[in-house]
Amino acid sequence: ASADEWRSRSIYQLVTDRFATTDGDWPACDTEDRVYCGGTWQGIINKLDYIQNMGFDAIWISPIVANLEGNTGDGESYHGYWTVDQNSLNYHFGSEGDLLALSSALHDRGMYLMLDVVVNHMGADTLPPDYSLFSPFNSSSDFHTFCWITDYNNQTNVEQCWLGDDNVPLADMDTEADNVIEFFYNWITRLVNDYGADGVRIDTVKHIRKTFWPEFATAAGAFTVGEIFDGSVDYVAPYTEVVDAVLDYPTYYQLTYAFQSTSGSISNLVDVVQSAQSSYKNGEFMAGSFLENQDNPRFQSLTTDQSLVKNAMAWPFIQDGVPILYYGQEQGYTGGNDPYNREALWLSGYVEDKPLVKHVRTLNAARKAAINASSEFLYTALTFPSVESSTLAVSKYPMLSLLTNGGESSTPSWSVSDTGFSAGTELIDVLNCTTYTVDSSRGLDVTGYDGLPIVLLPISAFNSTYCKDLL
Ligand code: ABC
Ligand code: CA
């Protein structure tokens, strides 16, 4: 599917090994052990209702190709990022038939499949690597000469030296060599076609020269979203010229800082969003917006104030880009840094009658309702009609969201002088079904409670019966 076809989508990111098992059993899984726990592609098929019931219409799964076997000083390759054979699948996750079945099961439901792909490196468990274990690149000449990445301010060092550590050196592909370049351009075409992928999440994009990517993205023939793990808009923005979209790391950091405590800075969040809107190629429309992922501590390891959590979780669904929710956030998982943020989802029992599961379901429904109600929603950049030290109004017609980092014990209030709605419009807060009326000068004053966020839509787009059904 094209970038434009992804614009209206909502993505559920899962770690295949940790999401669901083939037989539906719930094996023990201690994240600290860093070993395979038993999740599979068939397991995902079994649990598509769970994902779809929350309103997601796309999933992003772990890398699918064959990985380093055995237990290293950094554990097993259960996450899928330590490729050894580009042309075989990771049998821990199932057979080729299972992956194809997952792809069709998604498409039967009108859902998209996003594959995670790694070009930058292959995974070894000795230094120097035993290159004969790699396929098809089995010679040191296919890789950059060994050096560790030591200086993130030196782009040549970032691109041509190696990630990883002594336990698992990540042998850095020589992405300047013709045979390597040609292989990967053909490989991505084949991978997308073979498995009916609708999009690809590209790993370690900042570790390969920018000029490698445009032809790779074209060869993929589907939506490409790149991982550029960096908090600076100036650093990330140029990559929006070489792939369709980026994971919005700059906003991720300011979103986290703004809501992880009651003293976080709302204005820094506003600043980063406005700067991304003006420097990313498509503004923020295509950027993948997230609050958690497999590389960073879960939000609830930073704060368990449920009002701060609900405000921060609302962000990806009310902003310009494509929302991405990392599995387990809806179950209130609290794991810290890798490996603790990769808990097995079955340990939650997949309970759907839980506050954050409902929160996600409502936020997805609100976003869809806004898309259906107005063709403007997906193409008009958000604005901030009110910014105060602990409150924020986000306008994206026909959605008006009121956020606060006041926390559970606060009574927030917002005064929006121009809502963008005409006088007398009846609005509904989709999160608790309270209604409000826009005043005669198109403004709105709202007093909330318990530090909770408010997400308003015209009642014509989200009626109160529907609202109550979702609660
Ligand atoms: C394993 C162990 C860990 C252990 C680590 C050394 O080895 O599990 O416990 O600490 C995979 C696995 C990991 C594994 C690694 C390495 O491989 O999932 O469990 O860690 O073996 C992608 C994927 C990620 C994946 C890989 C490797 C790449 O999302 O899951 O990891 O294929 C860098 C890369 C980024 C990469 C990330 C893990 O490392 O750029 O692509 N993610 C700075 C740098 C970033 C750097 C980041 C983290 O640190 O600039 O480039 O990411 O190391 C902000 C700044 C940022 C800064 C952050 C920390 O602060 O603006 O620039 O990021 O303010
Ligand atoms: Ca590299």
Side-chain angles (χ1 to χ4, degrees), residues 13 34 60 63 73-76 78-82 116 118 120-121 149 152 158 163-165 167-170 201-207 227-232 235 247 249 253 257 293-296 337-339 342:
Q13 180 200 349
R34 300 190 286 194
W60 150 15
D74 288 339
E76 296 180 348
Y78 68 90
H79 42 70
Y81 293 97
W82 297 339
D116 197 333
V118 187
N120 180 63
H121 51 258
I149 295 176
Y152 272 101
V158 169
L163 284 164
D165 57 23
N167 296 321
V168 181
L170 299 178
R201 177 269 189 192
I202 310 173
D203 193 64
T204 33
V205 164
K206 72 188 238 186
H207 298 281
E227 181 219 16
I228 298 96
F229 194 140
D230 202 287
S232 151
Y235 186 87
L247 293 172
Y249 259 108
Y253 281 112
Y257 299 150
N293 64 27
Q294 78 283 14
D295 292 340
N296 291 283
N337 266 308
D338 169 11
R342 298 158 179 203

Side-chain angles (χ1 to χ4, degrees), residues 361-423:
R361 188 187 305 145
T362 301
L363 290 165
N364 265 323
R367 188 172 176 88
K368 284 290 172 322
I371 292 168
N372 292 333
S374 169
S375 51
E376 280 180 48
F377 184 79
L378 292 175
Y379 297 89
T380 309
L382 67 81
T383 58
F384 297 107
S386 161
V387 182
E388 302 290 339
S389 64
S390 63
T391 61
L392 176 68
V394 182
S395 171
K396 193 169 162 63
Y397 186 82
M399 182 185 273
L400 175 65
S401 305
L402 308 175
L403 303 183
T404 173
N405 67 356
E408 279 166 354
S409 56
S410 69
T411 302
S413 64
W414 297 266
S415 182
V416 181
S417 56
D418 185 0
T419 59
F421 297 109
S422 45

Side-chain angles (χ1 to χ4, degrees), residues 120 144 158-161 172-173 175 207-208:
N120 180 63
H144 288 135
V158 169
E159 291 173 3
Q160 303 198 358
C161 291
D172 204 70
M173 296 302 320
T175 45
H207 298 281
I208 295 180

Side-chain angles (χ1 to χ4, degrees), residues 45 48 97-111 113 195-196:
I45 299 176
L48 285 179
D98 295 337
L99 182 55
L100 291 168
L102 171 59
S103 180
S104 332
L106 286 162
H107 295 148
D108 287 348
R109 291 167 184 256
M111 295 173 74
L113 172 63
Y195 302 112

Side-chain angles (χ1 to χ4, degrees), residues 250-298:
T251 303
Y252 156 77
Y253 281 112
Q254 299 312 324
L255 172 65
T256 301
Y257 299 150
F259 290 101
Q260 71 184 2
S261 84
T262 55
S263 55
S265 168
I266 298 279
S267 66
N268 287 351
L269 171 61
V270 169
D271 289 348
V272 77
V273 169
Q274 291 178 334
S275 122
Q277 284 179 326
S278 63
S279 5
Y280 290 179
K281 185 178 175 202
N282 297 303
E284 287 212 294
F285 288 112
M286 299 316 306
S289 177
F290 61 95
L291 179 64
E292 291 185 355
N293 64 27
Q294 78 283 14
D295 292 340
N296 291 283
R298 288 190 182 270

